[in-house]
Amino acid sequence: MTRPNPDVDAVIFDFAGVLSTSPGDMMRRQIDESGIDVEVDLASFIQIIMGPLDVEGDHPWHRLERGRIDFDEYVAGIEPLWRAAGFETFPTPPRGDAVVTGMSKIPEMIDAARSVRAAGYRTAILTNNIKEWGAWRRIWDADNLVDVVVDSCEVDMRKPNADIFELTVEQLGSSMQRTLFLDDFPWNIAGAEAVGLQTMFVTDPVAAAAALLERLL
């Protein structure tokens, strides 16, 4: 099949914040309910719970997203961090399917992903995720939505590391220069551009879906 845009062979979609709503609002409510002042302490909270977001490291969250530890090991790993920061109580992310069932599909972007694939472009979902939230793949019917699914906790890699972009493009059978990557985090966009991917920074998934269709169809 001839693709309408001759400069693109494949499209990679992030999951949360692109194909679905972000769990951020849920996590903010959880922080607020724990008694932590979100506006004052949010930056400290994120640093403790997830570590630096723009680089790959050995923070417990990074290891959890790479599938190297389980959730209980992660909780044990961040406890000394929040105690050292002076917090008397500290909410951990939701366990199990709670975070996934609290997120919503973005039908415009899901429809766009289907349309792009039907037009002959190879498609993938590339997500940083944890094994305990694995229900997303079934709930979103991800394996029937796109050609390739790459989940960080299954491949021992995570964005924005170059290796996970290279793996995804290899599985798509494309090249960096001819693959378009959509994500809602600027550091992941920067990591993708560093390895030569075309990118689309998503701030409004509905608007981005329309822009994607205009660009490719």
Side-chain angles (χ1 to χ4, degrees):
M1 180 182 293
T2 301
R3 292 174 292 275
N5 185 325
D7 297 322
V8 178
D9 292 335
V11 182
I12 302 172
F13 298 87
D14 178 33
F15 172 57
V18 176
L19 291 166
S20 84
T21 57
S22 171
D25 289 342
M26 182 190 308
M27 294 179 71
R28 286 174 70 94
R29 287 195 301 271
Q30 189 180 18
I31 299 168
D32 190 47
E33 290 168 1
S34 74
I36 294 175
D37 186 329
V38 174
E39 298 307 323
V40 173
D41 295 326
L42 183 59
S44 297
F45 176 86
I46 292 174
Q47 187 70 21
I48 292 169
I49 203 169
M50 293 182 170
L53 297 175
D54 58 344
V55 295
E56 176 72 359
D58 199 44
H59 185 277
W61 182 258
H62 295 184
R63 286 185 280 139
L64 183 66
E65 283 193 327
R66 294 199 301 269
R68 295 188 178 185
I69 61 175
D70 63 24
F71 199 87
D72 289 334
E73 291 173 300
Y74 160 73
V75 171
I78 65 168
E79 181 175 357
L81 301 179
W82 62 259
R83 290 193 183 279
F87 291 104
E88 296 182 1
T89 61
F90 198 84
T92 57
R95 290 175 180 264
D97 296 346
V99 69
V100 179
T101 55
M103 297 161 64
S104 300
K105 298 178 182 180
I106 298 174
E108 293 86 354
M109 187 63 82
I110 290 174
D111 288 346
R114 291 195 179 105
S115 296
V116 165
R117 188 184 189 195
Y121 299 93
R122 293 276 290 170
T123 57
I125 295 173
L126 171 56
T127 179
N128 284 356
N129 216 319
I130 68 175
K131 292 178 180 177
E132 288 79 2
W133 297 347
W136 75 271
R137 193 161 177 168
R138 169 181 51 80
I139 294 172
W140 267 253
D141 196 20
D143 293 284
N144 290 316
L145 178 63
V146 295
D147 299 297
V148 172
V149 177
V150 177
D151 190 324
S152 66
C153 67
E154 297 176 354
V155 297
D156 191 21
M157 307 173 192
R158 61 188 293 277
K159 298 177 288 186
N161 191 300
D163 291 347
I164 200 166
F165 294 120
E166 292 167 358
L167 173 68
T168 307
V169 169
E170 179 183 353
Q171 292 191 11
L172 283 168
S174 184
S175 66
M176 294 292 185
Q177 293 73 20
R178 297 182 63 82
T179 300
L180 174 63
F181 172 64
L182 287 78
D183 200 284
D184 61 323
F185 286 150
W187 46 87
N188 290 337
I189 291 293
E193 290 177 346
V195 296
L197 286 165
Q198 300 181 44
T199 62
M200 182 179 291
F201 179 42
V202 177
T203 56
D204 178 341
V206 175
L212 177 67
L213 294 176
E214 182 177 357
R215 179 170 177 173
L216 297 185
L217 303 185

